[in-house]
């Protein structure tokens, strides 16, 4: 380990050369890649059960939630990429430069917990995929996921552009699998289109199906879609292109084409998440999926009695539907491995100025993430298969609670800094429309995440929680919400002070120059 306070992801920063004077499509191709790394986080295994279960319970009602989440994601990722390109700092570096050391350490720990929470979903997804495809016992499959560090070591030797290409290929594998399955199901496309229009029922808490209301279903989709680590990652990988920062027009072109890349890739993620929800409605008979875990979905795709039409039944008998599902799950887990490791490096270097070899970083994070999965597998090894599957699914869903803690501490600083002309200059600071949409999105997401916290903590006690357990969960949730808001106020205050000092320093330098 060593001290680090240089460019973000120094080994790959500015390493991809962008030829000048090319047409739109060739220039776009040269800038394409970072958006794919970011889009992976919007279609990781944590998204799957929330979207499919939402479709099973409420038909196409929650399609509008997927659309809104995707549009908010495009807005936030645009600002993250712009921050990185214009300031030449990633989000972690920019926050740390304007806050105290103690706050930097706290925010680093919080973000690490969020990354490990997403890593638990990846461990579970990859281990289950190995079990389903190759009949490897779950305990061994969990250990095998640790060795994806060897894959990462190999990728670091082939160059960043090739890593981007591999990620894009894996995204197309996932997209192909779900396009194929949904095409066979012949969904009601008029109902799908109608579902994109939000109604008063979309966030209703009165109608409950299978223990889920539209509100909790919407919160699950939002929580699994907009993740804090993607903002840190994008602000770093957007700097991989070599540009002339002394030329404002060159910077503007980089921002423009990076935004195109991001929006195209996030549109693909939107299609994947929409297809997952459509699967829940059209591929399976209504209410047929009793087990929303990966095991249950795999079994449902190979059980003719759960499928909606004769074509699907015939394909299911061959085992193709379930096998393709497991392949897509494995591809999703491997994609998330690559991006999770890069993000971990970004926040460690940015917040606490420490650097470790990428393979060691991955090994430590994965081993920590594997522990709760191994405990879960060990505790349920003597029980029925359904209990084991349910426990793993519950662990994956409950681990996402840390995302609700961490998300405001990436969104609020991002918006504050990209709103500021001191950080971005008059040309690149957010326009008034971006500022308004940004604050509506940030306040809305923070509110939805925090009001959903009591329900998420209650879920730790299972479906048959006692009154005392519910009271304890709610008390803990409200204490946590108060702590999050106090920490957020501290962060905003430190950023305000840091911005004020920067303004004074700029003013002093201008006076000194005169």
């Amino acid at each position: 380990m060593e001290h680090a306070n240089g460019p973000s992801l120094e080994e790959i920063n500015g390493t991809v050369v962008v030829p000048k004077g090319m047409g739109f499509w060739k220039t776009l191709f040269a800038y394409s890649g970072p958006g794919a790394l970011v889009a992976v986080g919007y279609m990781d295994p944590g998204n799957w059960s929330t979207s499919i279960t939402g479709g099973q319970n409420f038909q196409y009602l929650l399609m509008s939630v997927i659309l809104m989440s995707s549009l908010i994601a495009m807005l936030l990722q645009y600002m993250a990429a712009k921050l990185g390109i214009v300031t030449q700092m990633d989000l972690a570096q920019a926050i740390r430069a304007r806050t105290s050391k103690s706050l930097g350490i706290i925010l680093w720990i919080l973000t690490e917990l969020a990354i490990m929470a997403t890593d638990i979903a990846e461990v579970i997804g990859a281990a289950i995929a190995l079990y389903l495809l190759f009949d490897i016992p779950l305990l061994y499959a969990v250990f095998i996921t640790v060795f994806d560090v060897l894959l990462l070591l190999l990728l670091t030797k082939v160059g960043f552009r090739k890593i981007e290409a591999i990620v894009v290929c894996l995204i197309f594998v996932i997209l192909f699998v779900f396009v194929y399955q949904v095409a066979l199901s012949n969904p009601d496309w008029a109902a799908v289109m109608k579902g994109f229009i939000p109604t008063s029922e979309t966030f209703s808490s009165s109608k409950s199906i299978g223990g889920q209301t539209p509100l909790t279903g919407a919160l699950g989709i939002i929580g699994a879609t907009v993740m804090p680590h993607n903002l840190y990652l994008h602000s770093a990988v957007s700097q991989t292109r070599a540009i002339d920062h002394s030329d404002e027009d060159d910077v503007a072109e980089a921002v423009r084409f990076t935004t195109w890349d991001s929006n195209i890739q996030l549109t693909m993620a939107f299609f994947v998440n929409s297809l997952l929800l459509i699967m829940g409605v059209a591929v399976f008979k209504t209410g047929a999926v009793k087990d929303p875990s990966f095991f249950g979905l795999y079994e449902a795709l190979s059980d003719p009695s759960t499928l909606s039409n004769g074509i699907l039944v015939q394909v299911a008998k061959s085992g193709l539907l379930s096998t393709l599902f497991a392949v897509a799950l494995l591809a999703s887990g491997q994609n998330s491995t690559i991006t999770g490791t890069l993000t971990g490096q970004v926040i460690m270097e940015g917040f606490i100025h420490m650097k470790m070899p990428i393979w060691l970083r991955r090994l430590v994070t994965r081993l920590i993430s594997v522990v709760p999965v191994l405990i879960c597998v060990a505790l349920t090894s003597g029980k029925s298969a359904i209990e084991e599957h349910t426990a793993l699914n519950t662990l994956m869903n409950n681990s996402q609670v840390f995302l609700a803690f961490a998300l405001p501490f990436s969104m609020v600083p991002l918006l504050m800094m990209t709103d500021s002309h001191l950080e971005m200059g008059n040309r690149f600071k957010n326009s008034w429309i971006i500022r308004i949409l940004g604050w509506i999105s940030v306040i809305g997401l923070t509110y939805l995440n925090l009001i959903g916290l009591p329900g998420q903590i209650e879920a730790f006690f299972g479906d048959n929680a006692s009154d005392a357990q519910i009271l304890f969960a709610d008390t803990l949730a409200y204490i946590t919400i108060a702590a999050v808001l106090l920490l957020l106020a501290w962060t905003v205050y430190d950023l305000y002070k840091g911005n004020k000092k920067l303004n004074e320093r700029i003013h002093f330098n201008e006076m000194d120059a005169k």
Side-chain angles (χ1 to χ4, degrees):
M1 295 183 67
E2 58 188 73
H3 180 77
N5 196 20
S8 181
L9 295 177
E10 193 165 2
E11 299 86 349
I12 56 176
N13 193 293
T15 57
V16 180
V17 177
V18 181
K20 303 299 178 186
M22 297 188 297
F24 175 85
W25 293 109
K26 289 184 177 179
T27 306
L28 178 59
F29 178 76
Y31 276 99
S32 294
L37 295 172
V38 170
V40 164
Y42 292 94
M43 59 179 92
D44 72 348
N47 294 61
W48 293 29
S49 63
T50 55
S51 295
I52 292 176
T53 306
Q56 274 279 289
N57 290 342
F58 307 109
Q59 299 293 294
Y60 299 110
L61 180 66
L62 300 182
M63 292 294 291
S64 59
V65 177
I66 293 177
L67 177 60
M68 286 186 286
S69 297
S70 299
L71 292 174
I72 291 171
M74 289 179 184
L75 180 67
L76 293 173
Q77 297 300 160
Y78 154 71
M79 289 189 282
K82 183 172 69 170
L83 176 74
I85 293 168
V86 174
T87 67
Q88 301 180 67
M89 289 191 292
D90 60 56
L91 180 58
Q93 289 174 326
I95 294 173
R96 178 65 185 86
R98 288 153 186 77
T99 55
S100 61
K101 183 178 179 180
S102 55
L103 180 58
I105 292 172
I106 293 171
L107 294 180
W108 170 65
I109 294 170
L110 196 63
T111 313
E112 284 283 10
L113 288 172
I115 291 175
M116 287 176 191
T118 60
D119 209 32
I120 286 173
E122 292 153 21
V123 170
I124 292 172
I128 292 174
L130 291 171
Y131 167 77
L132 296 174
L133 287 170
F134 307 111
D135 202 26
I136 299 171
L138 269 177
L139 194 62
Y140 299 142
V142 170
F143 277 113
I144 289 172
T145 65
V146 174
F147 292 99
D148 66 10
V149 69
L150 300 176
L151 170 67
L152 203 67
L153 267 177
L154 175 64
L155 291 177
T156 57
K157 304 298 181 185
V158 301
F160 191 70
R161 194 70 170 138
K162 292 185 178 68
I163 293 177
E164 293 174 341
I166 291 168
V167 169
V168 170
C169 289
L170 289 173
I171 288 175
F172 274 109
V173 168
I174 299 166
L175 185 63
F176 165 77
V177 169
F178 295 129
V179 166
Y180 175 71
Q181 295 189 351
V182 168
L184 291 179
S185 70
N186 191 26
D188 182 351
W189 291 110
V192 172
M193 293 299 111
K194 185 179 177 182
F196 286 121
I197 302 171
T199 66
S200 58
E201 290 183 47
T202 305
F203 293 98
S204 170
S205 58
S206 57
K207 178 183 176 184
S208 179
I209 299 175
Q212 186 183 58
T213 65
L215 176 61
T216 56
L219 290 174
I221 289 171
I222 291 169
T225 303
V226 184
M227 294 187 178
H229 66 274
N230 277 327
L231 303 178
Y232 293 102
L233 178 64
H234 207 182
S235 63
V237 295
S238 63
Q239 300 179 55
T240 54
R241 272 51 184 172
I243 62 174
D244 181 4
H245 283 90
S246 63
D247 183 351
E248 205 171 78
D249 290 334
D250 201 29
V251 175
E253 181 179 87
V255 171
R256 177 191 173 206
F257 281 100
T258 300
T259 304
W260 269 102
D261 168 48
S262 173
N263 288 345
I264 289 170
Q265 303 291 353
L266 288 174
T267 299
M268 289 180 66
F270 160 71
F271 281 125
V272 168
N273 288 323
S274 297
L275 290 168
L276 284 164
L277 190 141
I278 294 169
M279 269 185 71
V281 182
V283 172
F284 306 107
K285 293 176 183 176
T286 302
V289 180
K290 304 299 181 186
D291 178 4
S293 71
F294 297 136
F295 297 100
L297 294 170
Y298 180 86
E299 291 297 329
L301 286 168
S302 57
D303 181 0
S305 67
T306 64
L307 301 173
S308 63
N309 65 47
I311 297 175
L312 284 166
V313 167
Q314 290 304 314
V315 179
K317 288 178 180 177
S318 69
L320 182 61
L321 291 181
S322 53
T323 300
L324 285 175
F325 177 83
V327 168
L329 184 58
L330 188 61
S332 179
Q334 292 312 301
N335 253 350
S336 300
T337 287
I338 297 168
T339 57
T341 304
L342 289 173
T343 308
Q345 188 175 348
V346 168
I347 65 163
M348 177 176 277
E349 293 180 15
F351 278 128
I352 60 172
H353 299 163
M354 291 299 294
K355 183 176 183 178
M356 65 167 62
I358 194 167
W359 65 268
L360 180 59
R361 157 88 213 175
R362 183 59 191 169
L363 194 59
V364 170
T365 306
R366 178 49 61 96
L367 285 172
I368 294 172
S369 302
V370 156
V371 170
V373 183
L374 287 175
I375 292 172
C376 187
V377 172
L379 290 175
T380 57
S381 60
K383 298 182 180 180
S384 67
I386 293 176
E387 287 179 298
E388 183 180 61
H389 301 169
T390 303
L392 280 172
N393 199 56
T394 302
L395 172 63
M396 184 179 71
N397 292 336
N398 289 345
S399 68
Q400 306 300 297
V401 72
F402 290 106
L403 301 178
F405 302 161
L407 190 57
F409 300 99
S410 56
M411 292 192 301
V412 172
L414 174 65
L415 198 50
M416 287 180 66
M417 286 186 280
T418 52
D419 279 349
S420 171
H421 75 276
L422 291 173
E423 316 283 353
M424 308 298 293
N426 288 323
R427 180 170 181 178
F428 298 109
K429 71 177 183 178
N430 292 334
S431 63
W432 66 269
I433 186 68
I434 295 293
R435 189 176 305 151
I436 291 171
L437 290 174
W439 280 111
I440 290 173
S441 301
V442 167
I443 293 170
L445 282 176
T446 301
Y447 173 74
L448 288 172
N449 270 302
L450 293 182
I451 65 164
L453 200 54
Q456 287 182 299
I457 295 178
E458 285 174 18
F460 279 88
F461 296 103
D463 296 331
N464 301 312
S466 66
D467 291 342
Q469 287 173 328
I470 291 175
L471 178 62
F472 173 77
D474 289 349
T475 303
L476 181 60
Y478 293 128
I479 291 172
T480 303
I481 289 170
V484 167
L485 292 175
L486 286 172
L487 185 58
L488 191 58
W490 181 11
T491 304
V492 170
Y493 177 68
D494 261 22
L495 287 168
Y496 173 76
K497 280 201 310 181
N499 217 37
K500 192 173 180 181
K501 286 179 182 177
L502 178 63
N503 192 13
E504 290 172 354
R505 189 161 66 247
I506 291 172
H507 181 70
F508 177 79
N509 290 338
E510 287 175 350
M511 293 294 292
D512 194 46
K514 291 178 181 179

